[in-house]
Amino acid sequence: RPKALNALCDALMLEMQDALQEFSKDGDVGCVVLTGSEKAFAAGADIKEMQPLNFSQVYGGNFLGFWNSLALFDKPLIAAVNGFALGGGCEVAMMCDIIYAGEKAKF
């Protein structure tokens, strides 16, 4: 969602998890590079998606539980960051093995 500065919604994170599972199985894939746009790597968690949840739904549920698929990925994962990497976007970058930060990267 470029208009939302690549906010990390559940759909995006689930799609990324599925892609990483496929890349993990593919012997022709040696590493994966995650990147965003020139303006933002990722602005963080999607606040609009979180807004209707109360504390018990977040704390007791599996809210953001699948984010660990990045940290558990079995091949080198590189974050190519240019622009904003805020909140959860910074966390995603830090879960990668290498961060390649452009001149306009802001953490």
Side-chain angles (χ1 to χ4, degrees), residues 82-96:
N82 200 23
F84 297 107
L86 307 174
C90 185
E91 291 178 37
V92 166
M94 290 189 300
M95 283 188 262
C96 295

Side-chain angles (χ1 to χ4, degrees), residues 1-55:
R1 297 182 38 210
K3 288 184 181 181
L5 299 178
N6 302 320
L8 303 170
C9 63
D10 279 351
L12 176 98
M13 294 305 291
L14 286 170
E15 187 176 337
M16 187 167 8
Q17 177 179 320
D18 291 344
L20 290 176
Q21 287 174 350
E22 291 300 314
F23 293 145
S24 181
K25 297 176 199 173
D26 189 335
D28 292 332
V29 174
C31 76
V32 172
V33 178
L34 297 179
T35 192
S37 66
E38 186 175 327
K39 189 172 183 179
F41 176 74
D46 191 338
I47 301 301
K48 285 186 179 181
E49 189 174 76
M50 295 169 41
Q51 188 176 8
L53 303 176
N54 62 38
F55 176 77

